[in-house]
Amino acid sequence: MSNVTRWVNRAFVSAALALAVFVVGFAASATKVAARPELAGYNNRQCWECHVNPMGGGMRNAKGNEVARELSLTVTKEAIKDKYPIVDDFEPELSEHFAIGGDMRLLWYDQQVDEDMKAQVEAAGGEVDQGGTFYEMQAVFHLLAKPLPMLSFVYSPDVAQDTFEAYGLIHDLPLNSYIKAGRFILPYGLRMEDHTNFTRDGLGFSQTSQDTGVEVGIRPGPAFVTAAFTNGLLGQNDQDRDEGHYAVTTQAGVRFWKLGLGASWFHNNRETFERDVYGPWGSFGIGPVVLLGEFDTVVQEYVDPEDPTDTTYRRGSAGMAQLDVKIIDGLYFQASYNHTDPDWEVKDNFYDQTMGGILIYPMPYMKLLAQYRHIREAKDVELDNDLAFIQGHFFF
């Protein structure tokens, strides 16, 4: 297939996905808060209403801080306000031109040790860790400078993962359009808070996979279309020195009532391979229940460096589904399923996780998640490696 033909096909697929999104519609449902995709499913608000980033995630704006303050159990929220009235006075906006924010996640986990695997490791002279351990997943400090009403600069270093976002943003242009330039997480799919989702970390779109380039978007009313042109290094700090080395990311969606649909496409051109990832995502929320889902197809074309005419293809997929049920204000039941199959041509080459747990906001600006994960591989590599963990998240 020629390069021209491939680009025509990709352009057609991208246009068709965008058209389908605008015709069919996108999701989120009905109460009073908006933040993570799960919480946005309880109302009909857009992600950028609570975040500086036009596509959501990362630093929160004034509305996002208000939501963070109200996201907790009613009894503790009222008790704290009675004892510390100043809590309502806290604003991360230091002035008209400067603001701060933060995200810190600490994880405690305990994973099963498979006896067969343990025996193999010990026979080879190694040791297998047993018992729980702590892991700092994230330690981000957000800084915002706003010299003009339509111009913002954001710097968000993550000292736990040794990475960062840093970009300039021209916003509030006609039709609510924007231009962003710098280093940022690509605007692909549902930006789930759990970066270990196979549709995030598994595909290269996690909190540690920032890329450098330019992003533009337009958000007329409930709809949006965005596109990014970047180096395609996905988390690496090296600069692109090869003109044939790049990435293109597009996404479109529309939000109304309690239903929704979106679609994304990503193309990464490297020296020895081309990679395309594309697929739909959506959500449905009614009353205390929210459903989220995403399914992505991955197509990789490998070129032999010694023989450019020798090309091989590998097709795979990754998907996730999540159910959130609001029990009371500040307390949720959460269950989810992740599945990945990196190569459709290889039989029983899958890996999946079934997860369930409780999500609680014990006080303003704090969240706890207790979860158990059942991990399943193909039968010939089945291991006893289930995982239990508790995650604490402090944010403002």
Side-chain angles (χ1 to χ4, degrees):
M1 183 183 293
S2 69
N3 289 333
V4 173
T5 304
R6 278 200 294 267
W7 274 106
V8 170
N9 287 340
R10 290 169 184 151
F12 177 79
V13 170
S14 184
L17 288 173
L19 179 61
V21 165
F22 274 92
V23 171
V24 179
F26 163 64
S29 175
T31 53
K32 61 183 179 181
V33 297
R36 311 179 344 259
E38 304 95 304
L39 293 178
Y42 288 106
N43 60 76
N44 194 27
R45 292 177 177 171
Q46 303 284 13
C47 297
W48 53 81
E49 292 187 45
C50 288
H51 293 273
V52 175
N53 180 11
M55 294 308 296
M59 187 173 188
R60 299 159 190 84
N61 56 23
K63 177 62 179 177
N65 180 65
E66 177 187 338
V67 169
R69 185 169 55 234
E70 297 300 318
L71 272 179
S72 66
L73 297 170
T74 302
V75 61
T76 56
K77 179 168 56 182
E78 293 179 351
I80 289 174
K81 287 184 177 181
D82 287 342
K83 187 172 183 178
Y84 305 105
I86 196 173
V87 70
D88 282 332
D89 297 330
F90 173 71
E91 293 291 345
E93 294 185 329
L94 305 178
S95 71
E96 182 181 356
H97 301 289
F98 296 97
I100 60 174
D103 283 280
M104 195 283 285
R105 288 183 174 89
L106 181 66
L107 179 72
W108 176 90
Y109 70 94
D110 191 4
Q111 189 161 20
Q112 281 183 287
V113 176
D114 185 82
E115 293 302 323
D116 293 336
M117 181 65 70
K118 178 183 176 183
Q120 293 178 25
V121 172
E122 291 179 344
E127 294 183 0
V128 176
D129 292 335
Q130 299 190 56
T133 188
F134 288 98
Y135 172 65
E136 190 167 17
M137 299 177 63
Q138 186 180 38
V140 176
F141 187 70
H142 305 291
L143 297 171
L144 168 69
K146 196 173 183 180
L148 298 173
M150 61 181 294
L151 177 64
S152 298
F153 296 92
V154 176
Y155 177 53
S156 299
D158 186 342
V159 298
Q161 301 296 330
D162 192 25
T163 187
F164 64 94
E165 284 190 276
Y167 56 84
L169 178 65
I170 304 174
H171 45 88
D172 297 320
L173 298 175
L175 295 178
N176 203 19
S177 57
Y178 69 90
I179 302 172
K180 180 166 67 174
R183 179 183 170 93
F184 47 84
I185 296 175
L186 296 177
Y188 187 95
L190 286 171
R191 187 161 170 173
M192 303 301 294
E193 186 180 50
D194 181 3
H195 69 274
T196 64
N197 271 329
F198 296 159
T199 55
R200 303 305 295 170
D201 198 28
L203 297 179
F205 305 118
S206 75
Q207 65 185 36
T208 61
S209 301
Q210 297 90 348
D211 208 0
T212 303
V214 178
E215 176 184 327
V216 296
I218 183 170
R219 302 163 292 168
F224 72 86
V225 176
T226 185
F229 184 74
T230 57
N231 285 346
L233 293 171
L234 299 182
Q236 301 178 34
N237 292 324
D238 298 334
Q239 297 302 307
D240 184 14
R241 301 300 181 190
D242 183 352
E243 64 180 13
H245 185 180
Y246 62 88
V248 177
T249 311
T250 62
Q251 185 174 183
V254 60
R255 180 184 300 260
F256 69 94
W257 191 55
K258 305 175 187 296
L259 299 172
L261 181 69
S264 309
W265 173 64
F266 169 78
H267 173 74
N268 192 189
N269 194 86
R270 303 290 287 268
E271 184 177 357
T272 59
F273 75 90
E274 292 186 20
R275 183 170 181 258
D276 287 276
V277 185
Y278 54 88
W281 50 264
S283 66
F284 171 74
I286 183 168
V289 178
V290 167
L291 289 170
L292 300 167
E294 180 176 343
F295 182 82
D296 297 296
T297 299
V298 183
V299 181
Q300 299 191 95
E301 177 183 344
Y302 296 91
V303 178
D304 186 343
E306 303 297 329
D307 182 6
T309 63
D310 184 6
T311 302
T312 59
Y313 291 88
R314 188 175 76 179
R315 292 174 173 82
S317 58
M320 61 79 60
Q322 181 169 302
L323 166 71
D324 283 74
V325 180
K326 182 178 180 180
I327 301 171
I328 58 174
D329 285 347
L331 179 62
Y332 300 81
F333 168 76
Q334 187 179 91
S336 60
Y337 174 75
N338 274 262
H339 179 85
T340 183
D341 186 345
D343 192 340
W344 289 348
E345 297 298 322
V346 179
K347 185 179 180 181
D348 291 332
N349 187 40
F350 67 85
Y351 181 86
D352 63 21
Q353 296 180 342
T354 304
M355 299 164 278
I358 295 295
L359 180 65
I360 183 172
Y361 295 85
M363 60 185 293
Y365 308 110
M366 180 182 178
K367 182 193 75 176
L368 292 174
L369 172 63
Q371 191 177 85
Y372 184 84
R373 296 186 175 185
H374 172 61
I375 302 172
R376 185 173 68 104
E377 301 91 355
K379 291 182 179 179
D380 59 340
V381 293
E382 188 72 39
L383 300 173
D384 292 322
N385 58 349
D386 287 1
L387 178 70
F389 71 84
I390 298 175
Q391 179 193 124
H393 181 196
F394 300 87
F395 57 94
F396 71 96

